[in-house]
Amino acid sequence: MKEVVAKRLVELRGEASREETAQAIGISVSALQMYENAQRVPKDSIKVRIANHFKRTVQEIFFDTEQHEMCSLSDQVKNSNRKEVG
């Protein structure tokens, strides 16, 4: 999962330099580099600052947004148990 987050951070940064991005977020360049290289995961307060900077939610950046197989199966079972009214 760290690798997925790292990739998202690099994509969100786009053409901006690490220096200007780190300064805007209020973290060191080395911290941002570690996040982008999947060496570290930021603490929650930093996650909020990163999300605010990129105008995204913490969920969008740091948590899996793809539905898991078990969730898909659960949805299929729920939908198959519904009866049409009318």
Side-chain angles (χ1 to χ4, degrees), residues 14-81:
E15 297 296 318
S17 72
R18 277 190 180 142
E19 290 79 10
E20 63 188 359
T21 302
Q23 184 177 10
I25 295 168
I27 59 175
S28 68
V29 174
S30 63
L32 181 58
Q33 184 174 351
M34 286 187 275
Y35 304 151
E36 289 183 348
N37 291 332
Q39 294 173 324
R40 269 196 186 162
V41 175
K43 59 185 178 179
D44 290 346
S45 61
I46 303 296
K47 288 178 183 177
V48 171
R49 291 176 14 204
I50 291 170
N52 288 338
H53 173 74
F54 291 119
K55 295 178 177 45
R56 296 288 198 287
T57 65
V58 171
Q59 181 76 23
E60 286 175 292
I61 300 172
F62 296 98
F63 296 95
D64 191 4
T65 56
E66 293 184 23
Q67 193 172 34
H68 295 278
E69 185 177 331
M70 287 302 291
C71 295
S72 295
L73 292 173
S74 177
D75 288 346
Q76 289 174 7
V77 169
K78 287 178 189 174
N79 290 333
S80 68
N81 288 335

